[in-house]
Amino acid sequence: MTHYYPLRLRASLHETIWGGRRLERDGWKQIPPGDIAIGESWETEISNVVQNGLYTGKTLGTLVEELGVSLLGKQAFAIFGQRFPLLAKFIDANAQLSVQVHPEDSYAARHEGGKLGKTEFWYILTAELGARIVYGFKTPTDRAEVAQAIQNVTLDRLLHEERVQAGDIIYVPAGTVHAIGSGVMLYELQEYSDVTYRMYDYGRLSASGKPRELHIERSLDVVHYDVPRQIKMKPVSLANTHGHEDRCLIACRYFLTREIQLKEHAAVEGTTRSSCIILSCLGERAQIFYGDSLRESESISRGETVILPAALGHYRLVGNGALLFSYVPEPADKVWQQWQASNLM
């Protein structure tokens, strides 16, 4: 008989030229000693290894193959097929990232060997005073103007910069030109895709003294040239009691993320349905109770992520601090409908 339980994954750390060591300094992750700049911690990478229970030592990708819809859920399978649907990350932008754009699913399927496109969102965890992101254009533009600006290394004159602070929620649908600025640390959730087109890099040179590779033509194919209607999203309150607060941060066809703030070891109960749930801890510590009569439990601490399989069933969350709670919503999801009513989507 298959056993379903919260899967604790060992995150994978990714060294980048723009990363730093804030993930360790702020108590999110342990980073190897030395002069290593970590830009990203991938929480649900398919090569990540399970650290607890019956499936200890197996990768997430292996469990997707073995458990299929029981792990993923019917709605996640309907949208994404038999692949893990979403990639969660902690990102430390110690320096400005290049300007990028991602394709939507249909373009990626045609031009990237059947891969998914990438829609994502950012939840700003910390931001230095005056920190900014690049998001869209200042005014409507077109392919010719943008192509000329890239060639002349003046694209930054067309780009809109937005100041950000902790708590900001940024939705980045496919086709949005964007970049994370220096001094920003955030939580990102995205379609599970590695398709990124580097559109512009301010004329910077790599460590070898050469310009970094750009993907200009494909960027120009997929970018939205109009001005975005809304940059910072409005969370929607779902509950606010003496024991917990529940807000929907973001909702779209690919993902829905709630922030559950537990107070004084309060309990929140639920049941998994048509999607697996990605649970990331931003607070101190929480316990996930599950199984017959909720007699089994698994803990989760700050900076850790677990996956609740779709077939898990009834569960209870108990603890202190914030948890990010993400899944693939059904079209009739009432929380998604509430969120849309408050945002320009």
Side-chain angles (χ1 to χ4, degrees), residues 119-330:
T119 285
E120 62 192 40
F121 101 98
W122 304 335
Y123 187 36
I124 308 298
L125 300 177
T126 58
E128 295 176 1
L129 185 64
R132 299 169 183 265
I133 60 169
V134 168
Y135 192 102
F137 296 103
K138 294 177 181 176
T139 59
T141 183
D142 57 32
R143 184 181 185 119
E145 183 179 22
V146 172
Q148 188 64 55
I150 293 173
Q151 182 177 340
N152 296 340
V153 198
T154 57
L155 183 65
D156 41 309
R157 299 177 187 175
L158 303 181
L159 299 172
H160 172 75
E161 291 190 348
E162 182 83 6
R163 287 195 177 187
V164 292
Q165 61 185 2
D168 285 343
I169 303 155
I170 314 294
Y171 178 50
V172 189
T176 305
V177 59
H178 63 276
I180 304 170
S182 62
V184 176
M185 200 182 82
L186 57 83
Y187 182 90
E188 176 181 286
L189 189 70
Q190 58 162 86
E191 287 182 80
Y192 203 119
S193 171
D194 62 356
V195 182
T196 295
Y197 300 145
R198 188 181 295 120
M199 190 175 195
Y200 186 69
D201 201 25
Y202 305 93
R204 294 184 296 191
L205 301 180
S206 68
S208 63
K210 297 180 180 179
R212 297 174 72 195
E213 180 185 8
L214 300 180
H215 313 100
I216 296 173
E217 290 304 314
R218 292 200 172 179
S219 295
L220 296 173
D221 283 347
V222 304
V223 72
H224 295 160
Y225 294 101
D226 53 353
V227 175
R229 298 173 63 194
Q230 183 178 351
I231 298 176
K232 296 179 180 181
M233 301 296 112
K234 300 175 183 177
V236 172
S237 178
L238 306 174
N240 192 354
T241 72
H242 70 280
H244 82 283
E245 182 179 359
D246 189 353
R247 305 188 304 160
C248 179
L249 303 183
I250 193 76
C252 65
R253 71 185 296 262
Y254 301 114
F255 48 75
L256 186 153
T257 297
R258 292 158 50 193
E259 182 184 45
I260 299 173
Q261 184 83 31
L262 298 171
K263 308 172 187 177
E264 302 299 329
H265 296 282
V268 173
E269 297 193 11
T271 302
T272 56
R273 299 187 187 279
S274 61
S275 172
C276 55
I277 295 168
I278 298 170
L279 200 62
S280 295
C281 184
L282 306 186
E284 298 172 16
R285 187 179 179 85
Q287 290 287 121
I288 307 158
F289 293 89
Y290 65 98
D292 293 338
S293 302
L294 301 179
R295 287 179 294 188
E296 300 180 76
S297 70
E298 185 65 44
S299 66
I300 180 173
S301 300
R302 177 179 170 87
E304 292 183 334
T305 296
V306 300
I307 296 170
L308 307 186
L312 179 70
H314 194 56
Y315 62 85
R316 178 186 295 139
L317 307 176
V318 179
N320 276 321
L323 297 167
L324 294 185
F325 180 104
S326 303
Y327 60 92
V328 181
E330 295 180 322

Side-chain angles (χ1 to χ4, degrees), residues 86-140:
L86 303 169
L87 179 58
K89 301 178 180 178
F90 289 95
I91 296 179
D92 172 17
N94 191 51
Q96 173 86 27
L97 275 67
S98 60
V99 177
Q100 305 172 354
V101 66
H102 307 300
E104 60 185 23
D105 293 341
S106 59
Y107 186 96
R110 293 196 309 272
H111 298 278
E112 301 291 346
K115 292 183 177 182
L116 292 173
K118 191 190 295 188
T119 285
E120 62 192 40
F121 101 98
W122 304 335
Y123 187 36
I124 308 298
L125 300 177
T126 58
E128 295 176 1
L129 185 64
R132 299 169 183 265
I133 60 169
V134 168
Y135 192 102
F137 296 103
K138 294 177 181 176
T139 59

Side-chain angles (χ1 to χ4, degrees), residues 4 63-64 67-85 272-277 307-312 327-330:
Y4 302 108
L63 291 184
V64 169
L67 303 180
V69 175
S70 297
L71 170 61
L72 303 174
K74 292 181 179 179
Q75 182 61 22
F77 187 88
I79 298 293
F80 294 101
Q82 187 155 333
R83 62 179 108 189
F84 198 76
T272 56
R273 299 187 187 279
S274 61
S275 172
C276 55
I277 295 168
I307 296 170
L308 307 186
L312 179 70
Y327 60 92
V328 181
E330 295 180 322

Side-chain angles (χ1 to χ4, degrees), residues 236 248 251 256 330-343:
V236 172
C248 179
L256 186 153
E330 295 180 322
D333 190 298
K334 292 182 179 180
V335 174
W336 182 4
Q337 294 171 2
Q338 285 181 258
W339 187 89
Q340 283 187 310
S342 298
N343 291 273

